Amino acid sequence: MRGGAQRHLAVAALGVFFGFSLSRMGFSSFSEVHRMFTLVDLRLIFTFLGAVVVTGAAFAVVTRGISPVHKAIHRGSVLGGVLFGAGWAISGMCPTVVLVLLGEGRVLALATAAGVVLGAVLYYRVLAPRLGWDADSCG
Amino acid sequence: MLSGYWPWWAGAMALVFVSLVYFRITGRTLGVSGFVWRLVRWRSERAAERADAELSDDEEFMAALMAATADEMGMPQEPIAVPAAEPGSVELRREVPQRVPVGMAFTFLCAVALGGFAAALSTGTAGVHTDMDPLFHELFGTGWTAILVLFGAGLLIGLGTSMAGGCTSGHGLSGCANRQPGSFVTTASFFGTGIVVSFLLGSFL
């Protein structure tokens, strides 16, 4: 993909909006995430569901008339999800939220950030070569 | 208004906006966790980008964008006509999907942090905090214990998202919106586990 200053700037602006929104909707709050996961407060679940449904509808319009080729379920899909979910419940953070918290000035999030980087390195450098799984990353 | 969290529909609309605009700008669906490893491998990513730099004119860019779109949507990829070496002729190529350049990924992540800062400014909570949420400390203590827990959780997040090939944005939002079976499975896994672990943690309160 071409770079271009305009595209870069647009991505930057969008990133700021994304981080701002995540914070203002409470996604970077451990308490709020805990309330979501313990089903005490369904607000964030509806936030997420609403986003998936509407985005899904928009993408369906974009791909209208084209039959999709489904990507295969990864060998690491379930275990990876379990590990991630556990880490998320314990820290209250998903990868993006680590960054949001750093922006909010929560310096302890640096510990989580270090863990995330090391975890990725551990997977790609140590585990994946031994497991021989297809690690198809996003982004 | 600024002190309370956004109602569900406002948060949902914001996430929809981010998803669609991100796709519009980059031709890719949003997925943050993949950026982590790519940034670790910054040098080899940049080298690969320089090697790909022969895509220079608009037609080739559009072809690559269409191919990337098709790949992200899980659509079957038709060969795409791109200008060939000889002027006036075209060749059919299956383009390798073009990822977001690693420099742009870095910008995006920095911008997200900046967004967090802006949010903190808007609620008057900007500044350095050496503590986390009170509930977190209630569960996990303070000092080095808390730091170790945060680091360990980070390990789980890094390992897990790499293994699953995505996170809340990549699988949860984008993957599910595109009705990818792998994303439904992973999203169910991490949400289900988040719920179970949180209930477990809650029992210690």
Side-chain angles (χ1 to χ4, degrees):
Chain A
M1 162 195 320
R2 251 210 302 244
Q6 240 184 349
R7 212 178 310 275
H8 225 98
L9 216 60
V11 163
L14 189 67
V16 172
F17 177 73
F18 188 30
F20 182 86
S21 303
L22 285 175
S23 183
R24 293 308 306 129
M25 69 178 79
F27 214 61
S28 60
S29 158
F30 181 88
S31 296
E32 288 296 308
V33 171
H34 186 80
R35 288 162 64 84
M36 170 183 80
F37 277 142
T38 53
L39 311 175
V40 162
D41 184 354
L42 302 181
R43 185 181 60 87
L44 282 178
I45 294 186
F46 285 136
T47 302
F48 187 76
L49 274 175
V52 171
V53 167
V54 177
T55 306
F59 279 153
V61 169
V62 169
T63 61
R64 187 182 18 169
I66 302 163
S67 49
V69 171
H70 283 309
K71 294 181 185 175
I73 295 174
H74 287 135
R75 236 95 70 89
S77 289
V78 174
L79 180 59
V82 168
L83 293 173
F84 168 42
W88 189 2
I90 292 169
S91 64
M93 309 177 208
C94 70
T96 316
V97 167
V98 176
L99 293 159
V100 175
L101 283 170
L102 288 174
E104 291 177 16
R106 301 279 172 185
V107 291
L108 293 189
L110 282 170
T112 312
V116 171
V117 171
L118 189 60
V121 170
L122 256 171
Y123 179 73
Y124 287 111
R125 287 257 148 85
V126 179
L127 279 179
R130 282 159 180 74
L131 290 171
W133 290 354
D134 172 29
D136 182 26
S137 84
C138 59
Chain B
M1 182 54 191
L2 283 178
S3 53
Y5 293 120
W6 287 353
W8 72 270
W9 49 266
M13 285 306 110
L15 292 176
V16 171
F17 181 81
V18 171
S19 298
L20 297 183
V21 172
Y22 184 88
F23 179 71
R24 187 76 178 82
I25 299 171
T26 66
R28 305 279 295 189
T29 51
L30 175 64
V32 172
S33 69
F35 289 160
V36 174
W37 177 238
R38 293 186 62 207
L39 286 173
V40 169
R41 297 178 68 245
W42 175 275
R43 276 212 302 260
S44 49
E45 290 277 325
R46 285 292 300 136
E49 281 165 21
R50 279 190 290 272
D52 280 346
E54 69 255 21
L55 282 184
S56 53
D57 67 75
D58 279 326
E59 275 174 288
E60 292 188 70
F61 172 74
M62 280 315 298
L65 184 61
M66 282 166 58
T69 307
D71 182 69
E72 280 305 313
M73 294 297 179
M75 287 158 25
Q77 285 199 60
E78 299 302 315
I80 289 157
V82 296
E86 210 174 294
S89 70
V90 294
E91 62 183 47
L92 291 179
R93 257 203 283 171
R94 229 175 214 97
E95 294 288 345
V96 173
Q98 293 244 288
R99 297 169 130 181
V100 171
V102 70
M104 205 176 284
F106 180 72
T107 300
F108 187 71
L109 297 188
C110 291
V112 168
L114 197 61
F117 177 63
L121 276 173
S122 76
T123 56
T125 57
V128 173
H129 304 274
T130 53
D131 61 337
M132 302 295 284
D133 186 287
L135 185 60
F136 176 84
H137 291 299
E138 205 179 315
L139 281 167
F140 298 112
T142 53
W144 282 106
T145 319
I147 291 172
L148 273 169
V149 169
L150 288 170
F151 178 75
L155 270 176
L156 289 170
I157 295 169
L159 249 174
T161 56
S162 303
M163 193 180 292
C167 57
T168 321
S169 50
H171 278 308
L173 190 46
S174 304
C176 289
N178 270 319
R179 299 193 294 285
Q180 297 288 343
S183 295
F184 287 134
V185 166
T186 300
T187 303
S189 299
F190 65 66
F191 247 99
T193 306
I195 290 173
V196 168
V197 173
S198 294
F199 271 114
L200 268 167
L201 290 174
S203 67
F204 288 105
L205 286 169

